[in-house]
Amino acid sequence: MASDILPPPGVLPELDWYTVPQIARGIRIREAKLIADIRAGKLAGINISEGTRPRYRIARQALAEYLENKQVRPAPRATRRSRQRPAGWVDYI
């Protein structure tokens, strides 16, 4: 479940909407990285500013989905392939 991936209680306050600095402090990531991810569409956020400088707010559900997508998953196990022998190949022992 996406809400299970959120940081433990006490790291982020129990709010419906978070600011970029709150999230950056809570998950220990640079604010610039979060803003870049918002602009790239990797993190859903809304701009509540009417001026030129953006003021983003991120919903709790959007943060949970963002962190779930950032989870490290084990790589699939590589399968060994046997080498193909050319036609007419003879094994000498």
Side-chain angles (χ1 to χ4, degrees):
M1 176 168 226
S3 62
D4 296 340
I5 197 70
L6 287 173
V11 175
L12 286 174
E14 294 292 323
L15 301 173
D16 291 333
W17 294 91
Y18 295 104
T19 63
V20 171
Q22 285 174 324
I23 294 173
R25 281 192 303 270
I27 63 174
R28 297 184 178 164
I29 191 172
R30 293 178 306 133
E31 290 180 27
K33 173 65 176 156
L34 284 173
I35 292 172
D37 285 348
I38 290 170
R39 289 181 177 157
K42 296 177 185 174
L43 174 59
I46 60 168
N47 183 5
I48 62 169
S49 174
E50 294 179 4
T52 58
R53 185 171 185 214
R55 292 174 50 202
Y56 294 111
R57 296 293 183 268
I58 296 97
R60 174 180 272 286
Q61 183 64 27
L63 176 60
E65 290 170 6
Y66 174 74
L67 293 175
E68 187 174 320
N69 290 335
K70 290 287 185 179
Q71 258 189 335
V72 177
R73 293 173 179 83
R77 189 170 182 196
T79 57
R80 289 188 75 158
R81 295 184 346 191
S82 60
R83 188 174 1 170
Q84 296 291 328
R85 305 284 185 187
W89 180 270
V90 178
D91 283 331
Y92 292 100
I93 300 179

